[in-house]
Amino acid sequence: MARVHLSGPDAPIGVFDSGFGGLTVARALVDQLPGEDLLYLGDTARSPYGPQPIDVVREYALECLDHLAEQGVKALVIACNSASAAMLRDARQRYDVPVVDVILPAARRAARTTRNGRVGVLCTEATATSGAYADALGVAPVEVTTTACPRFVEFVEAGVTSGAELMAVAEEYLAPVRAAGVDTLVLGCTHYPLLTGVLSYLLGPGVTLVSSAEECATASYATLLGAGLLRGGDGRQGRHEFITTGAPDAFAGIGRRLVGEWVGHVRQFS
Protein backbone atom coordinates (compact mmCIF):
# COMPACT_ATOMS: atom_id res chain seq x y z
CA MET A 1 0.00 0.00 0.00
CA ALA A 2 1.35 3.41 -0.99
CA ARG A 3 0.29 5.66 1.86
CA VAL A 4 1.20 9.29 2.49
CA HIS A 5 0.77 11.60 5.45
CA LEU A 6 -2.10 14.06 5.36
CA SER A 7 -0.92 17.43 4.07
CA GLY A 8 -2.15 20.82 5.23
CA PRO A 9 -4.23 23.47 3.45
CA ASP A 10 -1.19 25.09 1.80
CA ALA A 11 -0.21 21.92 -0.08
CA PRO A 12 -1.17 21.57 -3.76
CA ILE A 13 -4.05 19.56 -5.20
CA GLY A 14 -2.79 16.65 -7.28
CA VAL A 15 -4.67 16.23 -10.59
CA PHE A 16 -4.14 13.13 -12.72
CA ASP A 17 -5.27 12.26 -16.23
CA SER A 18 -4.19 9.89 -18.96
CA GLY A 19 -3.38 12.89 -21.11
CA PHE A 20 -4.95 16.22 -21.98
CA GLY A 21 -8.66 15.84 -21.26
CA GLY A 22 -8.13 16.34 -17.54
CA LEU A 23 -7.03 19.88 -18.28
CA THR A 24 -10.76 20.68 -18.50
CA VAL A 25 -11.02 19.55 -14.87
CA ALA A 26 -7.94 21.58 -13.94
CA ARG A 27 -9.43 24.61 -15.70
CA ALA A 28 -12.67 24.18 -13.74
CA LEU A 29 -10.67 23.86 -10.52
CA VAL A 30 -8.83 27.10 -11.31
CA ASP A 31 -12.18 28.84 -11.90
CA GLN A 32 -13.77 27.54 -8.70
CA LEU A 33 -10.65 27.53 -6.49
CA PRO A 34 -8.41 30.29 -7.87
CA GLY A 35 -6.20 30.42 -4.79
CA GLU A 36 -5.28 26.73 -4.83
CA ASP A 37 -1.99 25.35 -6.13
CA LEU A 38 -2.34 22.53 -8.66
CA LEU A 39 0.11 19.79 -9.61
CA TYR A 40 -1.10 18.14 -12.83
CA LEU A 41 0.27 14.86 -14.19
CA GLY A 42 -0.69 13.73 -17.68
CA ASP A 43 0.34 10.21 -18.74
CA THR A 44 0.56 11.17 -22.41
CA ALA A 45 3.23 8.57 -23.21
CA ARG A 46 0.70 5.79 -22.56
CA SER A 47 -2.55 7.49 -23.57
CA PRO A 48 -5.25 7.03 -24.60
CA TYR A 49 -6.47 4.83 -21.77
CA GLY A 50 -9.89 4.32 -23.35
CA PRO A 51 -9.00 1.31 -25.57
CA GLN A 52 -6.79 -0.33 -22.90
CA PRO A 53 -7.87 -3.29 -20.73
CA ILE A 54 -9.09 -2.30 -17.28
CA ASP A 55 -6.20 -4.01 -15.47
CA VAL A 56 -3.65 -2.11 -17.55
CA VAL A 57 -5.42 1.20 -16.90
CA ARG A 58 -5.40 0.41 -13.17
CA GLU A 59 -1.66 -0.28 -13.21
CA TYR A 60 -0.78 2.90 -15.11
CA ALA A 61 -3.08 5.11 -13.07
CA LEU A 62 -1.86 3.91 -9.67
CA GLU A 63 1.74 4.44 -10.73
CA CYS A 64 0.96 8.06 -11.59
CA LEU A 65 -1.09 8.63 -8.44
CA ASP A 66 1.75 7.21 -6.35
CA HIS A 67 4.04 9.85 -7.84
CA LEU A 68 1.62 12.67 -7.04
CA ALA A 69 1.11 11.36 -3.50
CA GLU A 70 4.86 11.34 -2.96
CA GLN A 71 4.95 15.08 -3.79
CA GLY A 72 2.89 15.84 -0.67
CA VAL A 73 -0.41 16.82 -2.28
CA LYS A 74 -3.38 17.40 0.03
CA ALA A 75 -5.92 15.72 -2.25
CA LEU A 76 -5.96 13.60 -5.40
CA VAL A 77 -8.32 14.36 -8.26
CA ILE A 78 -8.69 11.54 -10.77
CA ALA A 79 -9.55 13.67 -13.80
CA CYS A 80 -9.98 10.66 -16.09
CA ASN A 81 -13.18 8.66 -16.47
CA SER A 82 -11.37 5.52 -17.63
CA ALA A 83 -9.02 5.60 -14.64
CA SER A 84 -11.86 6.39 -12.23
CA ALA A 85 -13.75 3.36 -13.53
CA ALA A 86 -10.68 1.14 -13.17
CA MET A 87 -9.31 1.98 -9.74
CA LEU A 88 -11.28 4.48 -7.66
CA ARG A 89 -11.86 2.04 -4.80
CA ASP A 90 -8.18 1.04 -4.85
CA ALA A 91 -7.10 4.68 -4.70
CA ARG A 92 -9.33 5.46 -1.72
CA GLN A 93 -7.83 2.54 0.18
CA ARG A 94 -4.28 3.31 -0.94
CA TYR A 95 -3.83 6.99 0.01
CA ASP A 96 -4.28 8.99 3.22
CA VAL A 97 -5.60 12.05 1.42
CA PRO A 98 -9.09 12.72 0.00
CA VAL A 99 -9.63 11.25 -3.48
CA VAL A 100 -12.16 12.81 -5.86
CA ASP A 101 -13.23 11.19 -9.13
CA VAL A 102 -15.19 12.34 -12.17
CA ILE A 103 -17.84 9.61 -12.39
CA LEU A 104 -19.77 9.81 -9.12
CA PRO A 105 -20.23 13.63 -9.13
CA ALA A 106 -21.48 13.59 -12.74
CA ALA A 107 -23.81 10.66 -12.06
CA ARG A 108 -25.31 12.44 -9.05
CA ARG A 109 -25.88 15.60 -11.09
CA ALA A 110 -27.51 13.65 -13.93
CA ALA A 111 -29.85 11.83 -11.55
CA ARG A 112 -30.94 15.17 -10.06
CA THR A 113 -31.33 16.83 -13.47
CA THR A 114 -33.31 14.34 -15.53
CA ARG A 115 -37.04 14.96 -15.82
CA ASN A 116 -38.07 11.83 -17.70
CA GLY A 117 -35.72 9.36 -16.02
CA ARG A 118 -33.67 8.70 -19.17
CA VAL A 119 -29.97 9.51 -19.00
CA GLY A 120 -27.38 9.12 -21.75
CA VAL A 121 -23.65 8.72 -21.21
CA LEU A 122 -20.97 9.42 -23.83
CA CYS A 123 -17.63 7.92 -22.78
CA THR A 124 -14.53 5.95 -23.75
CA GLU A 125 -14.53 2.25 -24.49
CA ALA A 126 -12.91 1.43 -21.13
CA THR A 127 -15.53 3.39 -19.21
CA ALA A 128 -18.36 1.85 -21.22
CA THR A 129 -17.02 -1.68 -20.68
CA SER A 130 -16.67 -1.10 -16.93
CA GLY A 131 -20.34 -0.16 -16.54
CA ALA A 132 -19.22 2.48 -14.04
CA TYR A 133 -21.89 5.05 -14.91
CA ALA A 134 -24.66 2.45 -15.00
CA ASP A 135 -23.51 1.30 -11.55
CA ALA A 136 -23.29 4.87 -10.20
CA LEU A 137 -26.75 5.68 -11.54
CA GLY A 138 -28.16 2.33 -10.47
CA VAL A 139 -29.29 3.70 -7.11
CA ALA A 140 -31.58 6.19 -8.90
CA PRO A 141 -34.79 5.34 -10.79
CA VAL A 142 -33.27 6.10 -14.20
CA GLU A 143 -32.72 4.29 -17.48
CA VAL A 144 -29.12 4.62 -18.72
CA THR A 145 -27.97 4.48 -22.35
CA THR A 146 -24.17 4.36 -22.70
CA THR A 147 -22.30 5.01 -25.95
CA ALA A 148 -18.54 4.75 -26.49
CA CYS A 149 -17.19 7.61 -28.60
CA PRO A 150 -13.50 6.84 -29.21
CA ARG A 151 -12.98 9.24 -32.12
CA PHE A 152 -14.00 12.30 -30.12
CA VAL A 153 -10.63 12.29 -28.34
CA GLU A 154 -8.81 12.32 -31.69
CA PHE A 155 -10.79 15.33 -32.86
CA VAL A 156 -10.27 17.30 -29.66
CA GLU A 157 -6.52 16.68 -29.46
CA ALA A 158 -6.19 17.69 -33.12
CA GLY A 159 -7.95 20.95 -32.28
CA VAL A 160 -11.02 20.08 -34.36
CA THR A 161 -14.23 21.16 -32.63
CA SER A 162 -16.42 21.77 -35.68
CA GLY A 163 -16.71 20.78 -39.32
CA ALA A 164 -18.53 18.27 -41.48
CA GLU A 165 -16.49 15.20 -40.50
CA LEU A 166 -16.94 15.80 -36.77
CA MET A 167 -20.65 16.48 -37.24
CA ALA A 168 -21.08 13.18 -39.11
CA VAL A 169 -19.25 11.22 -36.42
CA ALA A 170 -21.22 12.95 -33.67
CA GLU A 171 -24.52 12.16 -35.42
CA GLU A 172 -23.55 8.48 -35.44
CA TYR A 173 -22.55 8.46 -31.77
CA LEU A 174 -25.69 10.33 -30.71
CA ALA A 175 -28.10 8.00 -32.52
CA PRO A 176 -28.54 5.55 -29.58
CA VAL A 177 -29.17 8.28 -26.99
CA ARG A 178 -31.62 10.02 -29.31
CA ALA A 179 -33.45 6.74 -29.89
CA ALA A 180 -33.64 6.25 -26.12
CA GLY A 181 -35.26 9.67 -25.68
CA VAL A 182 -32.81 10.93 -23.09
CA ASP A 183 -33.27 14.41 -21.66
CA THR A 184 -29.91 14.46 -19.85
CA LEU A 185 -26.54 13.57 -21.34
CA VAL A 186 -23.36 13.01 -19.31
CA LEU A 187 -20.13 13.98 -21.06
CA GLY A 188 -18.30 11.03 -19.53
CA CYS A 189 -14.82 11.84 -20.81
CA THR A 190 -13.01 15.01 -19.85
CA HIS A 191 -12.21 15.75 -23.51
CA TYR A 192 -15.89 15.99 -24.38
CA PRO A 193 -16.75 19.36 -22.75
CA LEU A 194 -14.66 20.88 -25.55
CA LEU A 195 -17.29 19.55 -27.96
CA THR A 196 -20.24 21.11 -26.13
CA GLY A 197 -21.01 23.41 -29.07
CA VAL A 198 -21.45 20.55 -31.54
CA LEU A 199 -23.37 18.36 -29.10
CA SER A 200 -25.71 21.15 -28.00
CA TYR A 201 -26.39 22.08 -31.62
CA LEU A 202 -27.23 18.51 -32.64
CA LEU A 203 -29.33 17.65 -29.58
CA GLY A 204 -31.15 20.93 -29.14
CA PRO A 205 -32.27 22.72 -25.97
CA GLY A 206 -34.38 19.82 -24.73
CA VAL A 207 -31.31 17.83 -23.64
CA THR A 208 -29.23 19.03 -20.69
CA LEU A 209 -25.49 18.34 -20.90
CA VAL A 210 -23.70 17.36 -17.68
CA SER A 211 -19.93 17.97 -17.72
CA SER A 212 -17.98 15.45 -15.67
CA ALA A 213 -15.20 18.06 -15.52
CA GLU A 214 -17.34 20.78 -13.93
CA GLU A 215 -19.00 18.36 -11.52
CA CYS A 216 -15.62 16.98 -10.46
CA ALA A 217 -14.38 20.49 -9.65
CA THR A 218 -17.51 21.23 -7.62
CA ALA A 219 -17.08 17.96 -5.72
CA SER A 220 -13.42 18.83 -5.09
CA TYR A 221 -14.44 22.15 -3.54
CA ALA A 222 -16.93 20.42 -1.25
CA THR A 223 -14.43 17.72 -0.29
CA LEU A 224 -11.67 20.18 0.59
CA LEU A 225 -14.11 22.36 2.54
CA GLY A 226 -15.40 19.38 4.50
CA ALA A 227 -11.86 18.23 5.31
CA GLY A 228 -10.72 21.70 6.39
CA LEU A 229 -8.17 21.77 3.56
CA LEU A 230 -9.14 24.92 1.64
CA ARG A 231 -6.43 27.57 1.48
CA GLY A 232 -6.99 30.72 3.49
CA GLY A 233 -8.57 33.69 1.73
CA ASP A 234 -5.40 35.76 1.36
CA GLY A 235 -6.12 36.83 -2.23
CA ARG A 236 -3.13 34.92 -3.52
CA GLN A 237 -3.40 33.35 -6.97
CA GLY A 238 -2.58 29.67 -7.07
CA ARG A 239 0.46 28.24 -8.83
CA HIS A 240 0.00 25.58 -11.50
CA GLU A 241 2.65 22.97 -12.30
CA PHE A 242 2.46 20.41 -15.09
CA ILE A 243 4.20 17.05 -15.50
CA THR A 244 3.95 14.69 -18.46
CA THR A 245 5.27 11.22 -19.19
CA GLY A 246 5.52 12.25 -22.84
CA ALA A 247 7.17 15.20 -24.57
CA PRO A 248 6.88 18.41 -22.49
CA ASP A 249 6.88 20.76 -25.50
CA ALA A 250 4.12 18.78 -27.20
CA PHE A 251 2.07 18.74 -24.00
CA ALA A 252 2.43 22.49 -23.58
CA GLY A 253 1.43 23.16 -27.18
CA ILE A 254 -1.65 20.95 -27.19
CA GLY A 255 -2.63 22.00 -23.67
CA ARG A 256 -2.57 25.70 -24.54
CA ARG A 257 -4.54 25.09 -27.70
CA LEU A 258 -7.20 23.21 -25.75
CA VAL A 259 -7.62 25.31 -22.60
CA GLY A 260 -5.53 28.44 -22.91
CA GLU A 261 -2.26 30.09 -22.03
CA TRP A 262 -2.50 29.34 -18.30
CA VAL A 263 -0.83 26.01 -19.13
CA GLY A 264 2.70 27.11 -18.30
CA HIS A 265 6.02 25.30 -18.06
CA VAL A 266 5.76 21.52 -18.39
CA ARG A 267 8.39 19.20 -16.96
CA GLN A 268 9.23 15.60 -17.72
CA PHE A 269 8.05 12.82 -15.42
CA SER A 270 11.09 11.01 -14.05
Side-chain angles (χ1 to χ4, degrees), residues 190-204:
T190 49
H191 283 76
Y192 299 174
L194 297 166
L195 299 177
T196 296
V198 169
L199 298 174
S200 295
Y201 173 78
L202 292 175
L203 292 170

Side-chain angles (χ1 to χ4, degrees), residues 2 10 15 18 22 26 44 58 66 77 96 99 129 137-138 151 158 163 196 219 234 236 243 251 265 267:
D10 291 339
V15 183
S18 60
T44 53
R58 178 184 179 278
D66 283 352
V77 177
D96 286 330
V99 177
T129 300
L137 286 159
R151 291 198 62 196
T196 296
D234 56 7
R236 168 188 172 278
I243 310 169
F251 184 98
H265 174 71
R267 58 186 172 90

Side-chain angles (χ1 to χ4, degrees), residues 59-128:
E59 177 188 347
Y60 291 170
L62 288 175
E63 180 182 338
C64 292
L65 288 175
D66 283 352
H67 180 75
L68 286 174
E70 289 163 3
Q71 309 309 303
V73 298
K74 66 181 177 183
L76 289 164
V77 177
I78 307 173
C80 174
N81 283 265
S82 298
S84 293
M87 41 62 75
L88 175 60
R89 183 175 299 177
D90 294 310
R92 287 186 167 153
Q93 293 174 347
R94 191 177 181 91
Y95 306 108
D96 286 330
V97 295
V99 177
V100 183
D101 76 307
V102 282
I103 292 176
L104 293 176
R108 286 194 292 264
R109 171 61 66 183
R112 291 195 301 267
T113 300
T114 183
R115 303 173 302 282
N116 67 5
R118 298 174 184 175
V119 174
V121 178
L122 304 184
C123 59
T124 66
E125 292 169 346
T127 303

Side-chain angles (χ1 to χ4, degrees), residues 156-172:
V156 168
E157 293 194 358
V160 178
T161 56
S162 62
E165 184 181 4
L166 173 59
M167 294 284 269
V169 170
E171 287 274 21
E172 179 182 346

Side-chain angles (χ1 to χ4, degrees), residues 116-121 143-147 174-185 207:
N116 67 5
R118 298 174 184 175
V119 174
V121 178
E143 177 184 325
V144 182
T145 301
T146 302
T147 302
L174 291 173
V177 297
R178 277 180 163 160
V182 307
D183 71 351
T184 302
L185 183 66
V207 177

Side-chain angles (χ1 to χ4, degrees), residues 210-256:
V210 174
S211 165
S212 58
E214 290 292 337
E215 297 307 320
C216 178
T218 300
S220 298
Y221 184 102
T223 298
L224 292 172
L225 179 64
L229 290 172
L230 286 177
R231 279 188 58 87
D234 56 7
R236 168 188 172 278
Q237 289 296 304
R239 294 184 293 269
H240 314 131
E241 298 182 58
F242 302 88
I243 310 169
T244 180
T245 59
D249 289 346
F251 184 98
I254 295 174
R256 289 167 190 155

